Amino acid sequence: MAMQAVTLSSYYALGHISLQVVCPCRRAVRRNNNRPFIMAASPLQGDPVREWIMGEGGASKILKISPVGGGCVNNASQYQTDVGSFFVKTNRSIGPAMFEAEAVGLDAMHKTNTIRVPKPLKVGPLPGRGSYIIMEFIQFGASRGQTELGRKLAEMHKVGVSEKGFGFPVDNTIGSTPQQNPWTDDWISFYGEHRLGFQLKLAQQQYRDNDVYMKGQKLLQYMHLLFKDVEITPCLLHGDLWSGNVAADKEGNPVILDPACYYGHNEAEFGMSWCAGFGSSFYNAYFEVMPKQPGFEQRTDLYKLYHYLNHYNMFGSGYRSSCTDILDRYMRLLKL
Ligand SMILES: Nc1ncnc2c1ncn2[C@@H]1O[C@H](COP(=O)(O)OP(=O)(O)OP(=O)(O)O)[C@@H](O)[C@H]1O
């Protein structure tokens, strides 16, 4: 993963790859299901992935195991079998908690029966150290454009509501940063404490950045002013929606991957829009299903700030000015 900020460039190519944005920190193009390298399917003993595929997975033969490129954190492979393909990610150093959280998120989104999401099948530890997740393999293809993505995402937000408030049944990670999701009745408290507040503290601890921290604290105190006349229902969010986590299946239907799910204000879903390349067709389709709320434009930076702070904390000072620009704008807007 590139560790420094470079200029964000993007293009939108209808009919081929619907979203292709060079995210400063992450990889430029991640969709790559057609890698030519094929690993031999070796008959490993005590391999829990193979055991699950040949057991509950219903396969009697593993035909090929091919690496899938694109991810930064984990190793990914396609297991081709006589009953179809499985997608497997392994991590040699981290225990199953990270993949368990991913599976809970994928499962929650899958159950909304709205936008296409790979169905999680199994998570477990690897012998000795590490963990794996097995999920439905999706053959990617060309997107039909962003309209369907906007509509389906909005449908997921509309259907996936929580009666427990804001939060999620499990904590997860945003990039490599922990993301805490305790159930909270009030959105502004949740976003203030567990999203912005958490990242601000991290920046202060890591970089002794008192300027960012103090401005951030002021914003937390007054950000409720940005929410006048807004109705906020806890909606199921993907949580890390950037171009690298959006694809299309071979019929052209949108697919979203690799989530950092929680129940939150639907507008927070656009916090990574600076790395997503969403155009007007996306937003128009989205707002037809989930109407735009008063003050939407005033809150877009508030939701970007969480992800900019996270990038600052993960990748360093290249992202600091994105954070301070937003903080300074709110200081002026709210006269703080
Ligand atoms: N269910 C799936 N079926 C087929 N290919 C998939 C599937 N899920 C992900 N992929 C492909 O595998 C690549 C790696 O997956 P993913 O992004 O989840 O890995 P990761 O290492 O966990 O990611 P990150 O580095 O963003 O945390 C993706 O870029 C995508 O191209």
Side-chain angles (χ1 to χ4, degrees):
M1 203 182 298
M3 301 292 273
Q4 69 202 26
V6 294
T7 317
L8 181 72
S9 66
S10 65
Y11 70 84
Y12 171 49
L14 249 187
H16 179 56
I17 295 171
S18 66
L19 297 169
Q20 186 175 24
V21 174
V22 180
C23 184
C25 62
R26 312 200 196 186
R27 50 259 173 238
V29 182
R30 297 177 30 162
R31 309 273 79 90
N32 181 8
N33 272 351
N34 304 313
R35 284 179 55 134
F37 309 108
I38 309 295
M39 292 182 342
S42 62
L44 274 183
Q45 288 272 308
D47 174 349
V49 170
R50 185 177 288 266
E51 276 166 21
W52 188 90
I53 288 176
M54 304 285 283
E56 279 178 72
S60 49
K61 230 187 219 165
I62 294 175
L63 305 168
K64 250 187 221 169
I65 306 170
S66 327
V68 177
C72 305
V73 178
N74 305 298
N75 286 321
S77 309
Q78 173 186 4
Y79 279 60
Q80 279 173 263
T81 77
D82 57 330
V83 294
S85 281
F86 296 88
F87 180 73
V88 178
K89 289 200 288 189
T90 56
N91 188 299
R92 290 275 155 199
S93 51
I94 305 176
M98 178 182 74
F99 286 145
E100 274 160 10
E102 181 172 349
V104 175
L106 288 173
D107 190 50
M109 295 195 296
H110 194 264
K111 283 192 174 133
T112 63
N113 210 11
T114 53
I115 195 162
R116 188 159 185 201
V117 170
K119 185 176 166 55
L121 300 169
K122 179 73 182 168
V123 173
L126 289 172
R129 207 165 169 218
S131 51
Y132 67 91
I133 180 168
I134 306 174
M135 64 181 87
E136 172 193 5
F137 180 86
I138 298 180
Q139 187 65 56
F140 295 140
S143 154
R144 289 194 303 265
Q146 294 192 343
T147 304
E148 195 65 2
L149 174 64
R151 180 167 45 242
K152 290 276 183 192
L153 181 72
E155 283 169 7
M156 182 179 90
H157 289 169
K158 194 164 194 175
V159 171
V161 291
S162 151
E163 281 163 13
K164 292 187 173 164
F166 302 95
F168 205 54
V170 289
D171 290 342
N172 44 26
T173 48
I174 181 75
S176 53
T177 311
Q179 182 168 259
Q180 294 174 346
N181 300 314
W183 292 115
T184 308
D185 290 338
D186 166 55
W187 169 247
I188 295 173
S189 310
F190 179 86
Y191 192 66
E193 182 176 350
H194 302 296
R195 293 294 180 266
L196 293 183
F198 184 88
Q199 295 283 349
L200 288 166
K201 262 188 223 149
L202 212 56
Q204 197 197 29
Q205 283 162 7
Q206 285 204 106
Y207 308 125
R208 298 177 201 277
D209 196 331
N210 288 324
D211 182 43
V212 163
Y213 182 79
M214 293 313 292
K215 284 177 181 160
Q217 292 305 316
K218 262 194 202 161
L219 177 60
L220 297 192
Q221 233 182 313
Y222 291 97
M223 71 177 182
H224 61 275
L225 299 173
L226 301 168
F227 288 86
K228 267 190 202 145
D229 305 321
V230 185
E231 225 178 86
I232 305 177
T233 307
C235 303
L236 181 60
L237 307 182
H238 174 282
D240 190 15
L241 200 64
W242 69 288
S243 58
N245 290 339
V246 178
D249 66 16
K250 63 182 187 331
E251 284 79 39
N253 302 307
V255 178
I256 54 176
L257 309 159
D258 204 12
C261 286
Y262 64 101
Y263 291 91
H265 186 197
N266 66 311
E267 294 173 7
E269 192 76 288
F270 308 126
M272 277 298 289
S273 58
W274 49 283
C275 256
F278 299 140
S280 55
S281 58
F282 169 86
Y283 284 109
N284 291 340
Y286 181 89
F287 289 131
E288 271 178 30
V289 181
M290 289 290 283
K292 200 193 256 197
Q293 297 251 352
F296 171 85
E297 283 79 8
Q298 284 192 345
R299 290 183 295 274
T300 55
D301 276 350
L302 189 71
Y303 290 134
K304 287 179 191 165
L305 181 58
Y306 172 59
H307 293 277
Y308 276 126
L309 283 168
N310 186 40
H311 278 64
Y312 177 34
N313 282 320
M314 286 194 299
F315 305 114
S317 59
Y319 289 93
R320 187 177 186 275
S321 64
S322 304
C323 302
T324 51
D325 287 353
I326 291 179
L327 286 166
D328 289 339
R329 273 202 295 281
Y330 280 121
M331 298 298 103
R332 287 194 296 275
L333 181 75
L334 298 170
K335 301 190 170 52
L336 304 178

